[in-house]
Protein backbone atom coordinates (compact mmCIF):
# COMPACT_ATOMS: atom_id res chain seq x y z
CA UNK A 1 0.00 0.00 0.00
CA UNK A 2 1.23 3.47 -0.81
CA UNK A 3 0.20 6.64 0.97
CA UNK A 4 -0.85 8.23 -2.32
CA UNK A 5 -1.32 7.25 -5.94
CA UNK A 6 0.18 10.53 -7.07
CA UNK A 7 2.24 13.18 -5.31
CA UNK A 8 2.51 16.45 -7.22
CA UNK A 9 5.49 18.61 -6.27
CA UNK A 10 4.85 22.35 -6.79
CA UNK A 11 1.56 24.23 -6.84
CA UNK A 12 2.06 26.44 -9.90
CA UNK A 13 -0.30 26.15 -12.87
CA UNK A 14 1.24 22.81 -13.95
CA UNK A 15 0.97 21.23 -10.49
CA UNK A 16 -2.51 22.45 -9.63
CA UNK A 17 -4.01 21.34 -12.95
CA UNK A 18 -2.23 17.98 -12.63
CA UNK A 19 -3.58 17.49 -9.09
CA UNK A 20 -7.08 18.62 -10.07
CA UNK A 21 -7.23 16.33 -13.11
CA UNK A 22 -5.81 13.32 -11.26
CA UNK A 23 -8.24 13.82 -8.36
CA UNK A 24 -11.16 14.13 -10.78
CA UNK A 25 -10.10 10.77 -12.19
CA UNK A 26 -10.57 9.32 -8.71
CA UNK A 27 -6.88 8.98 -7.75
CA UNK A 28 -5.53 9.67 -4.24
CA UNK A 29 -3.52 12.82 -4.75
CA UNK A 30 -1.28 15.01 -2.63
CA UNK A 31 -0.16 18.44 -3.87
CA UNK A 32 2.77 19.97 -1.99
CA UNK A 33 4.12 23.52 -2.25
CA UNK A 34 7.28 24.69 -0.54
CA UNK A 35 6.20 28.28 -0.13
CA UNK A 36 3.89 29.29 2.64
CA UNK A 37 1.63 31.14 0.22
CA UNK A 38 0.68 29.72 -3.16
CA UNK A 39 1.40 32.20 -5.96
CA UNK A 40 3.74 34.40 -3.91
CA UNK A 41 6.30 35.69 -4.71
CA UNK A 42 5.10 36.03 -8.31
CA UNK A 43 7.63 35.18 -10.99
CA UNK A 44 5.72 36.19 -14.10
CA UNK A 45 4.58 38.99 -16.43
CA UNK A 46 1.10 37.45 -16.26
CA UNK A 47 0.08 37.56 -19.93
CA UNK A 48 -1.95 34.67 -21.41
CA UNK A 49 -3.98 34.04 -24.53
CA UNK A 50 -7.74 34.01 -24.06
CA UNK A 51 -8.22 30.79 -25.95
CA UNK A 52 -5.49 28.93 -24.08
CA UNK A 53 -6.79 29.96 -20.68
CA UNK A 54 -10.42 29.21 -21.44
CA UNK A 55 -9.55 25.60 -22.25
CA UNK A 56 -8.94 25.07 -18.53
CA UNK A 57 -10.85 27.64 -16.48
CA UNK A 58 -13.69 30.08 -16.78
CA UNK A 59 -12.21 33.59 -16.68
CA UNK A 60 -13.06 35.41 -13.48
CA UNK A 61 -12.77 39.14 -12.90
CA UNK A 62 -11.12 38.38 -9.54
CA UNK A 63 -7.95 37.32 -11.28
CA UNK A 64 -8.05 39.14 -14.60
CA UNK A 65 -6.30 42.48 -14.33
CA UNK A 66 -6.60 43.61 -17.98
CA UNK A 67 -7.95 42.61 -21.35
CA UNK A 68 -5.64 43.27 -24.25
CA UNK A 69 -6.52 44.17 -27.84
CA UNK A 70 -3.19 45.11 -29.41
CA UNK A 71 0.50 44.29 -29.22
CA UNK A 72 3.04 46.92 -30.19
CA UNK A 73 6.59 45.91 -31.13
CA UNK A 74 9.15 48.71 -30.89
CA UNK A 75 12.52 48.56 -32.64
CA UNK A 76 15.74 50.09 -31.27
CA UNK A 77 15.23 53.29 -33.30
CA UNK A 78 11.61 53.51 -32.23
CA UNK A 79 9.80 52.14 -35.29
CA UNK A 80 6.48 50.63 -34.22
CA UNK A 81 4.66 47.61 -35.57
CA UNK A 82 1.18 46.98 -34.21
CA UNK A 83 -0.54 43.59 -34.23
CA UNK A 84 -3.95 42.56 -32.99
CA UNK A 85 -3.86 40.31 -29.91
CA UNK A 86 -5.02 37.26 -31.88
CA UNK A 87 -2.23 37.68 -34.40
CA UNK A 88 0.49 38.31 -31.88
CA UNK A 89 0.88 34.82 -30.48
CA UNK A 90 0.31 33.12 -27.23
CA UNK A 91 0.88 35.61 -24.48
CA UNK A 92 -1.52 38.45 -25.18
CA UNK A 93 -5.21 38.46 -24.42
CA UNK A 94 -5.51 38.65 -20.67
CA UNK A 95 -3.13 39.95 -18.06
CA UNK A 96 -3.69 37.88 -14.93
CA UNK A 97 -3.33 38.55 -11.23
CA UNK A 98 -1.29 35.43 -10.57
CA UNK A 99 -1.33 35.76 -6.81
CA UNK A 100 -5.06 35.12 -7.02
CA UNK A 101 -5.05 32.91 -10.12
CA UNK A 102 -2.56 30.37 -8.76
CA UNK A 103 -4.53 30.07 -5.52
CA UNK A 104 -7.73 29.63 -7.45
CA UNK A 105 -6.21 26.70 -9.37
CA UNK A 106 -4.94 25.11 -6.13
CA UNK A 107 -8.41 25.45 -4.66
CA UNK A 108 -9.89 23.75 -7.71
CA UNK A 109 -7.46 20.87 -7.06
CA UNK A 110 -8.49 20.67 -3.45
CA UNK A 111 -12.20 20.86 -4.35
CA UNK A 112 -11.67 17.98 -6.74
CA UNK A 113 -10.40 15.94 -3.77
CA UNK A 114 -6.62 16.43 -3.71
CA UNK A 115 -4.89 16.97 -0.35
CA UNK A 116 -2.87 20.19 -0.38
CA UNK A 117 0.05 21.09 1.90
CA UNK A 118 1.88 24.42 1.84
CA UNK A 119 5.22 25.27 3.48
CA UNK A 120 6.07 21.72 2.51
CA UNK A 121 9.12 20.87 0.36
CA UNK A 122 10.09 17.68 -1.34
CA UNK A 123 13.63 17.14 -0.06
CA UNK A 124 14.60 13.60 -1.01
CA UNK A 125 13.65 10.85 -3.41
CA UNK A 126 14.20 7.09 -3.37
CA UNK A 127 12.71 4.35 -5.54
CA UNK A 128 11.64 1.30 -3.51
CA UNK A 129 9.69 -1.80 -4.60
CA UNK A 130 8.47 -0.12 -7.76
CA UNK A 131 7.21 2.95 -5.92
CA UNK A 132 8.77 6.18 -4.67
CA UNK A 133 9.62 7.17 -1.13
CA UNK A 134 9.55 10.94 -1.12
CA UNK A 135 11.09 12.81 1.79
CA UNK A 136 9.11 15.91 2.67
CA UNK A 137 9.78 18.69 5.12
CA UNK A 138 6.54 20.23 6.30
CA UNK A 139 6.80 23.24 8.61
CA UNK A 140 10.16 22.00 9.76
CA UNK A 141 9.16 18.35 10.36
CA UNK A 142 10.68 15.67 8.14
CA UNK A 143 8.67 12.64 7.07
CA UNK A 144 8.56 10.13 4.25
CA UNK A 145 5.58 9.35 2.08
CA UNK A 146 5.21 6.71 -0.59
CA UNK A 147 3.66 7.27 -4.00
CA UNK A 148 3.19 5.28 -7.16
CA UNK A 149 3.86 8.33 -9.27
CA UNK A 150 5.52 11.68 -8.64
CA UNK A 151 4.68 14.59 -10.92
CA UNK A 152 7.51 17.11 -10.80
CA UNK A 153 5.86 20.48 -11.37
CA UNK A 154 8.54 22.24 -9.37
CA UNK A 155 9.30 25.00 -11.83
CA UNK A 156 12.53 26.38 -13.21
CA UNK A 157 14.61 25.20 -10.22
CA UNK A 158 13.27 21.63 -10.44
CA UNK A 159 15.02 19.13 -8.23
CA UNK A 160 12.63 16.31 -9.01
CA UNK A 161 14.14 16.19 -12.52
CA UNK A 162 17.64 15.77 -11.12
CA UNK A 163 16.56 13.15 -8.58
CA UNK A 164 14.82 11.16 -11.29
CA UNK A 165 17.90 11.28 -13.52
CA UNK A 166 16.51 13.62 -16.20
CA UNK A 167 19.13 16.24 -16.90
CA UNK A 168 17.37 19.56 -17.41
CA UNK A 169 20.21 21.85 -16.31
CA UNK A 170 20.05 24.99 -18.41
CA UNK A 171 23.08 26.37 -20.25
CA UNK A 172 23.67 30.10 -20.34
CA UNK A 173 21.97 30.33 -23.74
CA UNK A 174 18.96 28.34 -22.55
CA UNK A 175 17.62 30.71 -19.91
CA UNK A 176 16.28 34.25 -19.79
CA UNK A 177 17.32 36.13 -16.70
CA UNK A 178 14.39 38.40 -15.76
CA UNK A 179 13.42 41.32 -13.56
CA UNK A 180 10.14 43.16 -13.57
CA UNK A 181 8.70 46.15 -11.76
CA UNK A 182 5.02 46.83 -11.21
CA UNK A 183 4.98 50.54 -12.00
CA UNK A 184 2.60 53.44 -11.54
CA UNK A 185 2.91 57.05 -12.77
CA UNK A 186 3.67 55.98 -16.31
CA UNK A 187 1.85 56.49 -19.63
CA UNK A 188 0.50 53.57 -21.67
CA UNK A 189 -2.66 52.40 -23.42
CA UNK A 190 -4.35 49.98 -21.09
CA UNK A 191 -5.50 47.67 -23.90
CA UNK A 192 -2.00 47.30 -25.42
CA UNK A 193 1.05 45.23 -24.59
CA UNK A 194 4.42 46.68 -25.62
CA UNK A 195 7.61 44.86 -26.57
CA UNK A 196 10.95 46.65 -27.05
CA UNK A 197 13.31 44.46 -29.05
CA UNK A 198 16.99 44.67 -29.93
CA UNK A 199 20.36 44.25 -28.26
CA UNK A 200 20.44 47.87 -27.25
CA UNK A 201 17.55 47.22 -24.87
CA UNK A 202 17.92 43.58 -23.89
CA UNK A 203 20.71 41.34 -25.27
CA UNK A 204 19.11 38.02 -26.19
CA UNK A 205 15.67 38.99 -24.92
CA UNK A 206 13.23 41.88 -24.83
CA UNK A 207 11.60 44.44 -22.57
CA UNK A 208 7.85 44.25 -22.01
CA UNK A 209 5.09 46.41 -20.65
CA UNK A 210 1.86 44.62 -19.72
CA UNK A 211 -0.98 46.78 -18.35
CA UNK A 212 -2.55 45.80 -15.05
CA UNK A 213 -5.64 47.94 -15.07
CA UNK A 214 -5.52 51.62 -15.97
CA UNK A 215 -2.91 52.97 -13.64
CA UNK A 216 -0.26 50.28 -13.25
CA UNK A 217 1.74 48.00 -15.51
CA UNK A 218 4.31 45.21 -15.37
CA UNK A 219 7.49 46.57 -16.92
CA UNK A 220 10.10 43.86 -17.19
CA UNK A 221 13.10 42.49 -19.01
CA UNK A 222 14.59 39.17 -19.98
CA UNK A 223 18.25 38.91 -21.04
CA UNK A 224 20.27 35.89 -22.06
CA UNK A 225 23.26 35.39 -19.75
CA UNK A 226 25.46 34.18 -22.63
CA UNK A 227 25.04 37.55 -24.39
CA UNK A 228 24.45 40.04 -21.59
CA UNK A 229 27.40 41.82 -20.04
CA UNK A 230 25.47 43.17 -17.07
CA UNK A 231 22.63 41.89 -14.91
CA UNK A 232 19.01 42.02 -16.11
CA UNK A 233 18.31 44.63 -13.43
CA UNK A 234 21.02 46.90 -14.80
CA UNK A 235 19.47 46.92 -18.30
CA UNK A 236 15.95 47.43 -16.97
CA UNK A 237 16.99 50.32 -14.73
CA UNK A 238 18.71 52.02 -17.65
CA UNK A 239 15.59 51.65 -19.80
CA UNK A 240 13.32 53.02 -17.10
CA UNK A 241 15.56 56.00 -16.50
CA UNK A 242 15.23 56.84 -20.19
CA UNK A 243 11.58 56.00 -20.79
CA UNK A 244 9.74 56.37 -17.48
CA UNK A 245 11.84 58.66 -15.28
CA UNK A 246 8.82 59.63 -13.16
CA UNK A 247 7.51 56.10 -12.71
CA UNK A 248 7.18 54.61 -9.24
CA UNK A 249 8.04 50.99 -8.51
CA UNK A 250 5.49 49.34 -6.24
CA UNK A 251 6.62 45.70 -6.58
CA UNK A 252 9.72 43.80 -7.74
CA UNK A 253 9.50 40.43 -9.48
CA UNK A 254 12.55 38.29 -10.27
CA UNK A 255 12.73 35.10 -12.32
CA UNK A 256 14.40 32.74 -14.73
CA UNK A 257 12.60 31.51 -17.83
CA UNK A 258 13.76 28.27 -19.45
CA UNK A 259 14.18 28.73 -23.22
CA UNK A 260 15.79 25.39 -23.91
CA UNK A 261 13.24 24.17 -26.44
CA UNK A 262 11.81 20.66 -26.23
CA UNK A 263 13.67 18.14 -24.08
CA UNK A 264 13.89 14.54 -25.33
CA UNK A 265 11.89 13.05 -22.53
CA UNK A 266 10.06 14.31 -19.47
CA UNK A 267 9.64 10.86 -17.92
CA UNK A 268 11.59 8.34 -15.86
CA UNK A 269 10.39 5.35 -13.85
CA UNK A 270 7.56 6.62 -11.56
CA UNK A 271 8.16 10.24 -12.58
CA UNK A 272 6.76 12.80 -15.00
CA UNK A 273 7.84 16.44 -15.27
CA UNK A 274 5.40 19.17 -16.26
CA UNK A 275 5.63 22.89 -17.03
CA UNK A 276 8.85 24.83 -16.38
CA UNK A 277 10.36 21.75 -14.72
CA UNK A 278 10.15 20.08 -18.15
CA UNK A 279 11.29 23.29 -19.87
CA UNK A 280 7.87 23.61 -21.54
CA UNK A 281 8.13 27.38 -21.95
CA UNK A 282 8.06 29.00 -25.40
CA UNK A 283 11.65 29.89 -26.38
CA UNK A 284 10.63 33.07 -28.19
CA UNK A 285 8.00 34.66 -26.00
CA UNK A 286 8.94 33.09 -22.67
CA UNK A 287 5.26 32.28 -22.14
CA UNK A 288 4.73 29.13 -20.13
CA UNK A 289 1.44 29.26 -18.24
CA UNK A 290 -0.77 27.61 -20.84
CA UNK A 291 1.77 24.93 -21.75
CA UNK A 292 2.26 24.25 -18.04
CA UNK A 293 -1.48 23.71 -17.56
CA UNK A 294 -1.70 21.50 -20.66
CA UNK A 295 1.28 19.45 -19.52
CA UNK A 296 -0.20 19.05 -16.04
CA UNK A 297 -3.40 17.79 -17.59
CA UNK A 298 -1.66 15.29 -19.88
CA UNK A 299 0.56 14.04 -17.03
CA UNK A 300 -2.45 13.40 -14.80
CA UNK A 301 -4.23 11.42 -17.50
CA UNK A 302 -1.07 9.36 -18.10
CA UNK A 303 -0.82 8.78 -14.33
CA UNK A 304 -4.39 7.52 -14.27
CA UNK A 305 -3.72 5.14 -17.14
CA UNK A 306 -0.51 3.91 -15.53
CA UNK A 307 -2.28 3.21 -12.26
CA UNK A 308 -5.11 1.40 -14.06
CA UNK A 309 -2.49 -0.73 -15.82
CA UNK A 310 -0.42 -1.09 -12.64
CA UNK A 311 2.66 -0.08 -14.63
CA UNK A 312 4.69 2.98 -13.58
CA UNK A 313 7.67 2.26 -15.76
CA UNK A 314 9.39 4.80 -17.94
CA UNK A 315 8.25 2.85 -21.00
CA UNK A 316 4.59 3.12 -20.03
CA UNK A 317 4.86 6.78 -19.07
CA UNK A 318 6.23 7.63 -22.49
CA UNK A 319 2.54 8.00 -23.40
CA UNK A 320 2.84 11.33 -21.63
CA UNK A 321 5.86 12.35 -23.74
CA UNK A 322 3.80 11.58 -26.82
CA UNK A 323 0.91 13.71 -25.56
CA UNK A 324 2.82 16.87 -24.76
CA UNK A 325 4.93 16.57 -27.88
CA UNK A 326 1.80 16.27 -29.99
CA UNK A 327 0.19 19.20 -28.20
CA UNK A 328 2.97 21.83 -28.12
CA UNK A 329 6.30 19.97 -28.49
CA UNK A 330 6.60 20.82 -32.18
CA UNK A 331 6.21 24.52 -31.51
CA UNK A 332 8.95 24.36 -28.85
CA UNK A 333 11.34 22.80 -31.36
CA UNK A 334 10.43 25.24 -34.11
CA UNK A 335 10.53 28.31 -31.93
CA UNK A 336 13.90 27.37 -30.46
CA UNK A 337 15.37 27.29 -33.95
CA UNK A 338 13.67 30.53 -34.88
CA UNK A 339 14.86 32.16 -31.66
CA UNK A 340 18.47 31.17 -32.43
CA UNK A 341 18.16 32.85 -35.85
CA UNK A 342 16.47 35.95 -34.48
CA UNK A 343 19.22 36.25 -31.93
CA UNK A 344 21.64 36.86 -34.78
CA UNK A 345 19.73 39.85 -36.18
CA UNK A 346 21.54 43.04 -35.29
CA UNK A 347 19.78 46.26 -34.32
CA UNK A 348 20.05 47.97 -37.75
CA UNK A 349 18.36 44.94 -39.37
CA UNK A 350 15.56 45.00 -36.79
CA UNK A 351 15.13 48.70 -37.44
CA UNK A 352 14.91 48.20 -41.20
CA UNK A 353 12.35 45.43 -40.76
CA UNK A 354 10.20 47.44 -38.39
CA UNK A 355 10.47 50.54 -40.55
CA UNK A 356 9.23 48.65 -43.57
CA UNK A 357 6.18 47.42 -41.67
CA UNK A 358 5.46 50.55 -39.66
CA UNK A 359 2.00 52.06 -40.09
CA UNK A 360 0.44 49.02 -41.67
CA UNK A 361 -3.24 48.67 -40.62
CA UNK A 362 -3.55 46.39 -37.63
CA UNK A 363 -6.14 44.12 -39.13
CA UNK A 364 -3.88 43.44 -42.11
CA UNK A 365 -0.89 42.68 -39.94
CA UNK A 366 -0.94 38.93 -39.63
CA UNK A 367 2.03 36.60 -39.47
CA UNK A 368 1.45 35.74 -43.15
CA UNK A 369 1.43 39.36 -44.13
CA UNK A 370 4.56 39.92 -42.11
CA UNK A 371 6.21 37.12 -44.04
CA UNK A 372 5.11 38.58 -47.35
CA UNK A 373 6.44 42.02 -46.53
CA UNK A 374 9.70 40.53 -45.33
CA UNK A 375 10.05 38.66 -48.58
CA UNK A 376 9.58 41.83 -50.59
CA UNK A 377 12.00 43.86 -48.55
CA UNK A 378 14.58 41.35 -47.37
CA UNK A 379 14.72 38.30 -49.62
CA UNK A 380 17.92 37.01 -48.03
CA UNK A 381 16.46 37.05 -44.57
CA UNK A 382 13.37 35.25 -45.73
CA UNK A 383 15.51 32.55 -47.25
CA UNK A 384 17.13 32.07 -43.88
CA UNK A 385 13.77 31.79 -42.16
CA UNK A 386 11.96 29.90 -44.91
CA UNK A 387 11.23 26.77 -42.92
CA UNK A 388 9.30 28.78 -40.34
CA UNK A 389 7.04 30.70 -42.66
CA UNK A 390 4.62 28.28 -44.23
CA UNK B 1 40.08 30.43 -0.06
CA UNK B 2 37.62 31.50 -2.69
CA UNK B 3 33.93 30.97 -2.12
CA UNK B 4 30.55 31.88 -3.56
CA UNK B 5 28.39 34.16 -1.49
CA UNK B 6 24.85 35.44 -1.89
CA UNK B 7 23.81 38.91 -0.93
CA UNK B 8 20.52 38.06 0.79
CA UNK B 9 19.42 41.67 0.79
CA UNK B 10 19.57 41.70 -2.98
CA UNK B 11 18.43 38.16 -3.86
CA UNK B 12 14.91 37.94 -5.30
CA UNK B 13 14.61 34.17 -4.58
CA UNK B 14 13.83 33.28 -8.16
CA UNK B 15 15.75 30.02 -8.55
CA UNK B 16 17.41 30.99 -11.84
CA UNK B 17 20.81 30.21 -10.30
CA UNK B 18 19.59 26.74 -9.32
CA UNK B 19 18.41 26.03 -12.87
CA UNK B 20 21.91 26.58 -14.32
CA UNK B 21 23.97 24.78 -11.67
CA UNK B 22 25.27 21.48 -13.02
CA UNK B 23 26.58 20.44 -9.64
CA UNK B 24 23.49 20.64 -7.41
CA UNK B 25 25.49 23.10 -5.35
CA UNK B 26 22.60 25.42 -4.56
CA UNK B 27 18.98 25.15 -3.53
CA UNK B 28 16.13 27.58 -3.06
CA UNK B 29 14.54 26.71 0.25
CA UNK B 30 11.28 28.63 0.04
CA UNK B 31 12.68 32.16 -0.09
CA UNK B 32 16.20 31.39 1.10
CA UNK B 33 19.07 30.43 -1.17
CA UNK B 34 21.42 27.79 0.25
CA UNK B 35 24.85 27.32 -1.27
CA UNK B 36 26.59 23.99 -0.63
CA UNK B 37 30.26 24.90 -0.56
CA UNK B 38 31.40 21.29 -0.68
CA UNK B 39 29.76 20.84 -4.10
CA UNK B 40 30.38 24.27 -5.60
CA UNK B 41 33.08 24.36 -8.29
CA UNK B 42 33.02 28.16 -8.53
CA UNK B 43 32.15 27.84 -12.22
CA UNK B 44 30.15 31.09 -11.93
CA UNK B 45 27.29 30.05 -14.23
CA UNK B 46 24.95 31.21 -11.46
CA UNK B 47 26.80 34.49 -11.05
CA UNK B 48 26.27 35.30 -14.73
CA UNK B 49 22.62 34.28 -14.61
CA UNK B 50 21.47 36.10 -11.50
CA UNK B 51 19.07 38.89 -12.57
CA UNK B 52 19.84 40.89 -9.43
CA UNK B 53 23.62 40.59 -9.36
CA UNK B 54 23.27 39.01 -5.92
CA UNK B 55 25.99 36.36 -6.27
CA UNK B 56 29.70 36.90 -6.02
CA UNK B 57 32.85 34.86 -5.69
CA UNK B 58 35.04 36.29 -2.93
CA UNK B 59 38.45 35.40 -1.46
C1 LIG C 1 9.70 37.35 -15.25
C2 LIG C 1 8.83 36.30 -15.87
C3 LIG C 1 7.83 36.66 -16.75
C4 LIG C 1 6.99 35.68 -17.30
N1 LIG C 1 5.95 36.09 -18.08
C5 LIG C 1 5.08 35.18 -18.54
C6 LIG C 1 3.92 35.58 -19.25
O1 LIG C 1 3.66 36.77 -19.43
N2 LIG C 1 3.08 34.63 -19.71
C7 LIG C 1 3.32 33.30 -19.50
O2 LIG C 1 2.50 32.47 -19.96
N3 LIG C 1 4.39 32.89 -18.83
C8 LIG C 1 5.28 33.80 -18.33
N4 LIG C 1 6.36 33.38 -17.60
C9 LIG C 1 6.58 31.94 -17.41
C10 LIG C 1 5.61 31.38 -16.39
O3 LIG C 1 5.68 32.12 -15.20
C11 LIG C 1 5.94 29.92 -16.13
O4 LIG C 1 6.08 29.24 -17.34
C12 LIG C 1 4.88 29.23 -15.29
O5 LIG C 1 4.75 29.79 -14.03
C13 LIG C 1 5.23 27.76 -15.15
O6 LIG C 1 4.35 27.12 -14.29
P1 LIG C 1 4.80 25.87 -13.48
O7 LIG C 1 3.58 25.40 -12.75
O8 LIG C 1 5.51 24.93 -14.36
O9 LIG C 1 5.90 26.38 -12.47
P2 LIG C 1 5.84 27.50 -11.34
O10 LIG C 1 4.72 28.44 -11.55
O11 LIG C 1 7.21 28.05 -11.24
O12 LIG C 1 5.52 26.67 -10.03
C14 LIG C 1 6.46 25.78 -9.47
C15 LIG C 1 6.16 25.68 -8.00
O13 LIG C 1 6.90 24.61 -7.44
C16 LIG C 1 7.32 24.98 -6.15
N5 LIG C 1 8.45 24.11 -5.78
C17 LIG C 1 9.69 24.10 -6.31
N6 LIG C 1 10.45 23.15 -5.73
C18 LIG C 1 9.66 22.54 -4.80
C19 LIG C 1 9.89 21.47 -3.86
N7 LIG C 1 11.07 20.85 -3.78
N8 LIG C 1 8.87 21.13 -3.04
C20 LIG C 1 7.66 21.76 -3.10
N9 LIG C 1 7.41 22.77 -3.98
C21 LIG C 1 8.39 23.15 -4.82
C22 LIG C 1 7.69 26.44 -6.31
O14 LIG C 1 7.72 27.11 -5.07
C23 LIG C 1 6.58 26.93 -7.24
O15 LIG C 1 5.48 27.42 -6.53
C24 LIG C 1 7.22 34.32 -17.02
C25 LIG C 1 8.25 33.95 -16.17
C26 LIG C 1 9.05 34.92 -15.59
C27 LIG C 1 10.14 34.50 -14.65
S1 LIG D 1 29.43 28.67 -9.00
FE1 LIG D 1 28.86 26.99 -10.39
S2 LIG D 1 28.91 25.16 -9.06
FE2 LIG D 1 28.87 26.94 -7.69
S3 LIG D 1 26.69 27.21 -7.23
FE3 LIG D 1 27.20 28.54 -8.98
S4 LIG D 1 26.66 27.33 -10.78
FE4 LIG D 1 26.80 25.90 -9.04
S1 LIG E 1 19.45 33.94 -9.33
FE1 LIG E 1 20.02 35.61 -7.94
S2 LIG E 1 18.08 36.49 -7.29
FE2 LIG E 1 17.61 34.47 -8.15
S3 LIG E 1 17.66 33.08 -6.36
FE3 LIG E 1 19.69 33.03 -7.28
S4 LIG E 1 20.85 34.59 -6.13
FE4 LIG E 1 18.68 34.97 -5.73
Amino acid sequence: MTDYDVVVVGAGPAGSIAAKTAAEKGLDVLLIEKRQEIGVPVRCAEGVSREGLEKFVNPDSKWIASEIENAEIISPSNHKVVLSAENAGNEVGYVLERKIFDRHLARLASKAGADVLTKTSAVSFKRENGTVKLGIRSMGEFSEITAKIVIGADGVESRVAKWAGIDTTLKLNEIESCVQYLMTNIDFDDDTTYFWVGRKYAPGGYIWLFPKGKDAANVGIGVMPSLAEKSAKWYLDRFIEEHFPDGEIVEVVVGGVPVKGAIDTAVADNVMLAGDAARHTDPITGGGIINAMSAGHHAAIAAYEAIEANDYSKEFLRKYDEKWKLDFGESLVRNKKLQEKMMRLDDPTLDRLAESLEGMPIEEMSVRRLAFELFKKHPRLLWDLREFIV
Amino acid sequence: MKKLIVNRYRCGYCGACVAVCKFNANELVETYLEIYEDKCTLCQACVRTCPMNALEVVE
Side-chain angles (χ1 to χ4, degrees):
Chain A
M1 270 295 284
T2 48
D3 297 318
Y4 286 95
D5 291 326
V6 178
V7 176
V8 182
V9 182
S16 288
I17 293 292
K20 170 180 177 279
T21 312
E24 281 168 353
K25 283 285 190 184
L27 302 181
D28 280 335
V29 182
L30 171 65
L31 172 63
I32 62 171
E33 168 54 52
K34 71 176 168 186
R35 303 172 187 177
Q36 67 186 27
E37 288 181 60
I38 287 169
V40 179
V42 172
R43 301 190 297 207
C44 189
E46 310 181 290
V48 285
S49 74
R50 289 194 184 103
E51 198 188 290
L53 185 82
E54 288 166 12
K55 269 197 286 185
F56 293 100
V57 268
N58 296 322
D60 185 330
S61 58
K62 285 197 203 81
W63 40 260
I64 288 182
S66 296
E67 286 200 47
I68 302 302
E69 297 303 330
N70 302 316
E72 193 170 305
I73 302 169
I74 304 146
S75 78
S77 300
N78 214 27
H79 297 292
K80 293 176 182 152
V81 178
V82 187
L83 284 89
S84 67
E86 301 88 73
N87 290 339
N90 237 349
E91 285 68 37
V92 274
Y94 292 125
V95 180
L96 303 173
E97 194 63 70
R98 277 200 62 182
K99 283 174 205 151
I100 307 174
F101 176 71
D102 282 24
R103 282 169 207 201
H104 175 72
L105 295 187
R107 273 195 221 160
L108 293 181
S110 123
K111 269 198 196 155
D115 291 342
V116 182
L117 289 175
T118 53
K119 214 167 171 66
T120 302
S121 294
V123 292
S124 66
F125 174 101
K126 244 184 332 219
R127 287 196 185 87
E128 227 174 60
N129 308 324
T131 61
V132 171
K133 204 171 232 186
L134 199 67
I136 62 170
R137 195 178 44 228
S138 191
M139 311 230 188
E141 301 294 324
F142 178 84
S143 60
E144 281 186 320
I145 43 173
T146 50
K148 293 171 184 160
I149 287 180
V150 172
I151 297 181
D154 47 344
V156 72
E157 77 258 37
S158 177
R159 295 182 84 72
V160 172
K162 289 179 178 162
W163 289 329
I166 309 170
D167 184 13
T168 55
T169 307
L170 300 171
K171 300 196 183 73
L172 295 186
N173 61 355
E174 295 175 339
I175 186 166
E176 293 287 337
S177 173
C178 305
V179 184
Q180 173 184 277
Y181 301 139
L182 177 61
M183 296 191 74
T184 57
N185 273 6
I186 58 173
D187 271 342
F188 58 89
D189 283 338
D190 62 4
D191 65 352
T192 302
T193 51
Y194 302 80
F195 300 87
W196 287 264
V197 295
R199 288 183 200 166
K200 171 180 135 185
Y201 291 123
Y206 61 85
I207 289 179
W208 63 82
L209 183 153
F210 289 5
K212 290 196 75 178
K214 288 200 182 312
D215 55 5
N218 288 334
V219 184
I221 190 171
V223 300
M224 187 167 273
S226 58
L227 297 175
E229 277 161 17
K230 309 262 191 192
S231 69
K233 182 175 181 298
W234 185 89
Y235 291 100
L236 182 63
D237 288 344
R238 187 183 63 171
F239 173 85
I240 281 170
E241 232 167 72
E242 272 178 28
H243 288 75
F244 304 117
D246 300 327
E248 295 293 334
I249 296 166
V250 292
E251 192 176 321
V252 181
V253 163
V254 187
V257 176
V259 289
K260 191 180 175 79
I263 58 175
D264 288 342
T265 179
V267 306
D269 289 340
N270 308 90
V271 175
M272 286 177 272
L273 306 175
D276 278 15
R279 310 326 190 192
H280 282 156
T281 323
D282 186 285
I284 292 184
T285 62
I289 299 169
I290 303 297
N291 286 356
M293 293 200 288
S294 305
H297 177 83
H298 294 312
I301 301 290
Y304 170 73
E305 289 170 359
I307 284 160
E308 284 263 281
N310 202 21
D311 184 349
Y312 326 122
S313 67
K314 182 176 176 168
E315 288 67 38
F316 192 93
L317 297 178
R318 280 197 201 282
K319 276 171 175 253
Y320 164 60
D321 271 340
E322 284 165 23
K323 285 276 170 49
W324 69 260
K325 285 186 181 179
L326 203 66
D327 185 343
F328 55 77
E330 267 302 300
S331 74
L332 295 183
V333 174
R334 206 171 120 115
N335 285 359
K336 181 63 191 173
K337 285 199 214 154
L338 187 53
Q339 178 231 29
E340 280 167 349
K341 302 221 167 173
M342 281 165 58
M343 212 69 86
R344 285 191 228 128
L345 302 182
D346 58 13
D347 286 4
T349 309
L350 284 174
D351 275 324
R352 280 204 310 277
L353 286 177
E355 193 180 0
S356 61
L357 299 169
E358 196 168 29
M360 190 169 283
I362 298 175
E363 58 282 5
E364 288 177 28
M365 184 55 87
S366 64
V367 173
R368 262 182 174 279
R369 181 66 191 263
L370 235 141
F372 181 67
E373 291 299 318
L374 289 180
F375 181 55
K376 277 203 318 210
K377 307 240 159 53
H378 307 277
R380 271 196 50 207
L381 182 69
L382 184 74
W383 181 248
D384 221 28
L385 299 179
R386 65 195 179 281
E387 59 186 294
F388 303 105
I389 306 166
V390 272
Chain B
M1 244 217 0
K2 284 188 175 175
K3 65 172 184 174
L4 177 73
I5 55 162
V6 54
N7 182 338
R8 301 195 189 287
Y9 303 103
R10 216 182 268 176
C11 170
Y13 20 90
C14 68
C17 53
V18 181
V20 297
C21 181
K22 274 191 248 176
F23 306 96
N24 288 336
N26 52 12
E27 183 183 2
L28 189 62
V29 184
E30 200 176 323
T31 52
Y32 182 91
L33 183 74
E34 284 277 13
I35 296 166
Y36 303 117
E37 274 179 43
D38 54 327
K39 292 190 191 161
C40 177
T41 63
L42 302 178
C43 73
Q44 307 220 20
C46 57
V47 177
R48 289 188 59 191
T49 302
C50 178
M52 300 296 278
N53 201 12
L55 292 164
E56 196 186 356
V57 173
V58 293
E59 281 292 336

